[in-house]
Amino acid sequence: MIAVYINYPRTRCSIHVNSSVEEKQRHDKKDQRILKINVFTISSYFEKFKKLEYRFEPSQEYNDMWLEVDFGDEAFEIAVAKYVLALIAERYPKMGNIPPEMH
């Protein structure tokens, strides 16, 4: 399992291997957006990202997002995270220019 932190206004992304979101989440932010991507939810989330249903903006509510990606295969989980970033970059082009920090 990997935990992925995405922050748009600061245009950064970090991938934390062998970690859950709860283990890595730095802020106890109220209503934090956490998406749990696994074999049962992947299609739905990919469709929502393709339809640009998730937005980012410089506000407490929409400035960041955590992904918890769990497939039991670290290389595939990282590929899924990078694909989600590519989908986000379709709406927010600056996100396409940043390599994720690996932790």
Side-chain angles (χ1 to χ4, degrees), residues 71-89:
F71 290 95
D73 181 325
E74 185 178 296
F76 182 70
E77 292 164 355
I78 292 169
V80 167
K82 288 181 177 181
Y83 182 64
V84 168
L85 288 174
L87 292 174
I88 292 170

Side-chain angles (χ1 to χ4, degrees), residues 4-78:
V4 181
Y5 180 71
I6 303 167
N7 186 297
Y8 174 70
R10 294 177 58 196
T11 55
R12 70 183 192 129
C13 173
S14 57
I15 296 176
H16 306 268
V17 297
N18 298 320
S19 298
S20 69
V21 169
E22 290 79 19
E23 292 170 336
K24 290 297 174 193
Q25 190 174 10
R26 297 189 199 299
H27 307 290
D28 193 18
K29 182 177 170 180
K30 183 182 176 195
D31 298 324
Q32 175 69 59
R33 294 189 295 176
I34 300 173
L35 307 182
K36 295 182 182 257
I37 302 175
N38 56 48
V39 68
F40 303 107
T41 63
I42 189 169
S43 296
S44 172
Y45 282 127
F46 278 1
E47 187 170 328
K48 288 178 181 183
F49 277 108
K50 285 180 183 178
K51 290 182 177 180
L52 308 174
E53 290 185 22
Y54 296 108
R55 69 180 204 237
F56 291 87
E57 57 187 55
S59 71
Q60 179 77 9
E61 188 177 7
Y62 296 110
N63 71 332
D64 63 358
M65 173 184 290
W66 279 95
L67 308 177
E68 189 168 273
V69 186
D70 188 6
F71 290 95
D73 181 325
E74 185 178 296
F76 182 70
E77 292 164 355
I78 292 169

